[in-house]
Amino acid sequence: MAVSQPGVPAGSSSTPASLPGSGHGRLVRWIDHRLPVISFLEHELTAYPTPVNLNYWWNFGSLAGIILVIMIVTGVVLAMHYTPHASLAFDSVERIMRDVNYGWLLRYVHMNGASMFFLIVYIHMFRGLYYGSYKYPRELLWILGVVILLLMMATAFLGYVLPWGQMSYWAATVITNMFSAVPLVGDSIVTLLWGGFTVGNPTLNRFYSLHYVLPFVIVAVVGLHLVALHQHGSNNPLGIERRGPQDSIPFHPYYTIKDMFGLSVFLIVFAVFVFYLPNFLGHPDNYIPANPMVTPPHIVPEWYFLPFYAILRSVPDKLLGVVLMFGAVLILFLVPWLDTSPVRSARFRPVYRWVSWLLPADAIVLGWVGANPPSGAFVVIGQIATFYYFFHFLILMPLLGKIERPRPLPISIGAAVLAAGPPVPAAAPMERR
Amino acid sequence: MTDLAQSQVRVEHGGGTRRDFLILSAGALGAVGAAISVWPFIDSMNPARDTLALSTTEVDLTPIQVGQRLTVAWRGKPVFIDRRTPDEIKAAQDVDVSSLRDPQKDSDRVKKPEWLVVVGVCTHLGCIPLGQKPGDDRGSFGGWFCPCHGSVYDTSARIRQGPAPTNLPVPPYDFTADTAIKIG
């Protein structure tokens, strides 16, 4: 390299101890000595030791990160064409759809991207629940994840209001009215949220402002999530800690390529929605401009909120319904302490292995109830499913950890992987899983 | 100087030093100042003056027939005006008030029994109940029915069934003439 630094004394640009590899030019070394971003990336991305046995459930973390970037990029561009005013917002979205070059694509990617983001994150969370990824020493990692989920929910709700269709308007009305259940100051809080006496232009303006800023808060919390992750490294399907170098492989190229493959599969699914079913996950009423004088006969939230909506409606008391709905998310913060089992992975927990699947099944039932009008059998089913949701976390999780007899854990990740893998002829004959 | 400092360093009660006191009082003052400076940011989100200024609506009642309902906008919210039939008035007055979730006599909710004026926003989560149009489902008490979460209101717009905690509120209004009201 021809980069000469006359003022730099000889030896000062020598490779810092933290910069692995020797193939770097002088410029890279010069920069890294002053701003160690390159060695940081090599340490945390390339050489980063990762358990050898991660399965495809471990793809969803990086997928969530990628979809977050997709959402921010499409969102920033959409914001260049969107008008946050009650009388102009709906038309500006239609203009994006009809007149702006590729506006339809950007909006459909952003719209369906929100659904994909929740799908990925819900799977990511289930992975954590199944393999006990929230247990010591990863409790804060899990808690930061729940914080991200809460921020995502707020951001998704705020964004759903922006097109100012009927569903936007009434979603905003119903959700903000939940705060009127707060004793004494409830109505003042709601007026404060609205900036008026109903959801109106001031509400739309502040929702737009917050919808723009919250994703960057999410990025910051994702950063903390990664710091916490890299402190102790990934959990793995066996749920036991790595004991030595034979249990790890570098993240690059092994998991970069695996993540790329997962990303390709995901992008196919995403593209099917964007190009062939762009409004499948939405609600047609949101293509009717907001009308503060008429509530649509059947209002429902987006699919990713349906289970929580069902919990809200299953209680005939306003305050209790709101408390349970928020409680359904906040209870996740306590999971590291509600699960009393010392064994992480459900593979070695003969009862929890099956019980863990009841939670997503229950969430699907709740979602189905939430999508239907609150009458007849749906009310009863919703109440049973709501009861189970809390029963699962508050009773089953603590109880199973006490009474369940876990199966013996493998000695090490390496031993278990070699024992399970057929292509290794030298492996000792052992009972197959 | 040293003597002076030492004589002032000890506070009369307890073992706290003058430095402790200064740290605590400066910290407390700073915290209070920071808390107060948050208020303009919060209050800026409350309704602005022009929003507050749009707070009265005048309605001419002459075109409304007996049994007919009219919706008008007040502060951006729908206000239901119902010219009730004698049967509806009787049904509203005959209810045993103590059996209601939000006990209120019909006479406390109207200025003239024929005219019921209420804010048409469900007290559960803010949807607009059905019942203003002739074909609407009015629920089992002949008043209003909220489609969102199933609250049922009677002919005095009092909550009878469903999750809503209170009756539809009566807005402040006055008869400016025999057949005209000013809401707000």
Side-chain angles (χ1 to χ4, degrees):
Chain A
M1 290 288 290
V3 181
S4 62
Q5 292 294 326
V8 179
S12 74
S13 64
S14 65
T15 309
S18 58
L19 183 56
S22 56
H24 293 291
R26 284 185 60 197
L27 176 63
V28 170
R29 281 182 280 141
W30 187 89
I31 293 171
D32 200 70
H33 189 59
R34 287 149 185 83
L35 179 72
V37 283
I38 295 142
S39 54
F40 174 81
L41 285 178
E42 294 208 342
H43 189 253
E44 300 298 336
L45 196 66
T46 309
Y48 176 59
T50 316
V52 292
N53 59 333
L54 298 187
N55 58 25
Y56 278 107
W57 291 103
W58 264 262
N59 275 56
F60 291 89
S62 70
L63 268 186
I66 291 167
I67 192 82
L68 174 61
V69 172
I70 292 175
M71 293 302 282
I72 288 176
V73 171
T74 51
V76 166
V77 181
L78 284 169
M80 296 174 188
H81 303 284
Y82 172 76
T83 313
H85 188 279
S87 58
L88 303 170
F90 188 89
D91 289 346
S92 77
V93 172
E94 285 308 303
R95 183 177 160 269
I96 289 171
M97 294 302 291
R98 293 152 198 252
D99 295 338
V100 174
N101 298 333
Y102 292 104
W104 60 273
L105 179 66
L106 294 167
R107 175 160 177 268
Y108 278 157
V109 167
H110 198 73
M111 226 171 95
N112 288 283
S115 280
M116 295 300 124
F117 201 175
F118 275 96
L119 181 67
I120 288 165
V121 163
Y122 285 155
I123 296 172
H124 185 62
M125 290 168 64
F126 178 65
R127 196 286 320 277
L129 286 170
Y130 187 85
Y131 293 110
S133 300
Y134 44 79
K135 291 185 191 181
Y136 174 87
R138 298 185 182 83
E139 298 95 330
L140 279 178
L141 175 60
W142 171 265
I143 285 173
L144 286 165
V146 181
V147 171
I148 294 170
L149 176 70
L150 281 170
L151 288 168
M152 277 174 64
M153 288 176 147
T155 310
F157 159 66
L158 295 167
Y160 190 64
V161 174
L162 301 185
W164 213 239
Q166 271 291 64
M167 281 293 161
S168 298
Y169 186 89
W170 292 101
T173 299
V174 168
I175 303 281
T176 51
N177 262 300
M178 284 174 189
F179 293 91
S180 70
V182 177
L184 299 176
V185 291
D187 287 332
S188 308
I189 293 176
V190 173
T191 304
L192 183 72
L193 292 173
W194 287 342
F197 303 107
T198 55
V199 173
N201 192 51
T203 325
L204 178 60
N205 269 263
R206 64 194 55 185
F207 278 23
Y208 180 54
S209 167
L210 293 172
H211 181 70
Y212 204 107
V213 77
L214 279 186
F216 299 99
V217 179
I218 294 179
V219 168
V221 183
V222 166
L224 293 176
H225 193 63
L226 288 174
V227 172
L229 173 70
H230 284 224
Q231 175 74 359
H232 292 284
S234 292
N235 184 32
N236 64 79
L238 294 171
I240 54 176
E241 289 296 325
R242 285 166 287 156
R243 287 174 186 276
Q246 76 281 3
D247 292 346
S248 300
I249 43 175
F251 189 85
H252 181 76
Y254 297 103
Y255 287 112
T256 40
I257 200 69
K258 189 166 182 167
D259 282 350
M260 285 297 156
F261 176 71
L263 174 66
S264 308
V265 174
F266 161 71
L267 286 178
I268 292 170
V269 176
F270 192 13
V272 168
F273 276 105
V274 168
F275 294 107
Y276 296 97
L277 303 161
N279 291 300
F280 179 75
L281 297 168
H283 197 290
D285 275 28
N286 218 27
Y287 286 103
I288 303 169
N291 181 354
M293 295 290 140
V294 178
T295 307
H298 181 47
I299 63 167
V300 284
E302 291 283 86
W303 70 267
Y304 40 82
F305 290 141
L306 285 175
F308 302 103
Y309 190 60
I311 289 174
L312 168 78
R313 293 193 314 187
S314 69
V315 190
D317 180 83
K318 179 174 169 178
L319 178 59
L320 192 60
V322 172
V323 167
L324 278 191
M325 190 197 70
F326 283 106
V329 185
L330 299 180
I331 202 170
L332 294 168
F333 280 118
L334 302 177
V335 162
W337 295 276
L338 289 172
D339 185 349
T340 54
S341 173
V343 174
R344 287 199 194 114
S345 174
R347 276 194 192 175
F348 304 102
R349 300 184 57 190
V351 183
Y352 183 71
R353 181 173 191 168
W354 301 107
V355 167
S356 60
W357 287 97
L358 293 178
L359 186 70
D362 187 58
I364 289 169
V365 171
L366 280 170
W368 173 63
V369 169
N372 282 287
S375 57
F378 288 116
V379 178
V380 182
I381 299 169
Q383 285 169 348
I384 294 169
T386 299
F387 174 80
Y388 179 79
Y389 185 90
F390 289 97
F391 178 77
H392 184 96
F393 285 109
L394 293 174
I395 309 289
L396 275 184
M397 268 197 162
L399 202 64
L400 276 183
K402 304 273 189 212
I403 61 174
E404 182 183 48
R405 190 188 172 93
R407 288 164 49 199
L409 294 175
I411 298 161
S412 73
I413 296 173
V417 168
L418 291 177
V424 184
M430 275 187 183
E431 60 171 354
R432 303 290 299 273
R433 271 194 312 106
Chain B
M1 184 65 197
T2 323
D3 291 345
L4 185 65
Q6 281 179 343
S7 68
Q8 289 179 353
V9 133
R10 294 289 159 198
V11 177
E12 280 180 28
H13 306 289
T17 60
R18 179 178 165 140
R19 172 166 292 176
D20 292 338
F21 171 75
L22 285 173
I23 288 174
L24 274 174
S25 55
L29 192 68
V32 169
I36 290 173
S37 65
V38 169
W39 177 245
F41 292 88
I42 294 174
D43 196 37
S44 74
M45 290 191 274
N46 268 320
R49 284 187 201 94
D50 63 329
T51 313
L52 291 169
L54 302 167
S55 57
T56 62
T57 302
E58 294 190 41
V59 189
D60 176 15
L61 303 176
T62 28
I64 308 175
Q65 306 295 311
V66 173
Q68 203 177 11
R69 290 173 175 180
L70 178 75
T71 308
V72 296
W74 170 64
R75 290 175 159 186
K77 296 179 192 185
V79 169
F80 294 168
I81 300 173
D82 183 10
R83 186 169 182 183
R84 301 187 292 181
T85 63
D87 288 348
E88 287 173 336
I89 298 169
K90 190 169 182 320
Q93 289 172 341
D94 286 354
V95 175
D96 175 14
V97 173
S98 60
S99 70
L100 298 174
R101 182 181 304 168
D102 182 11
Q104 247 186 332
K105 283 193 285 188
D106 184 60
S107 55
D108 294 338
R109 294 177 53 77
V110 291
K111 294 209 161 117
K112 296 178 179 178
E114 195 175 30
W115 297 99
L116 177 71
V117 181
V118 290
V119 176
V121 176
C122 183
T123 55
H124 181 225
L125 293 177
C127 297
I128 312 295
L130 297 172
Q132 288 297 97
K133 290 190 191 137
D136 281 355
D137 183 356
R138 292 185 171 193
S140 45
F141 291 87
W144 288 267
F145 170 71
C146 183
C148 291
H149 308 96
S151 293
V152 179
Y153 297 89
D154 66 12
T155 54
S156 191
R158 291 173 296 203
I159 179 65
R160 301 299 288 270
Q161 279 176 5
T166 58
N167 304 331
L168 293 187
V170 178
Y173 70 95
D174 283 308
F175 278 90
T176 51
D178 267 359
T179 55
I181 56 171
K182 186 168 117 183
I183 307 169

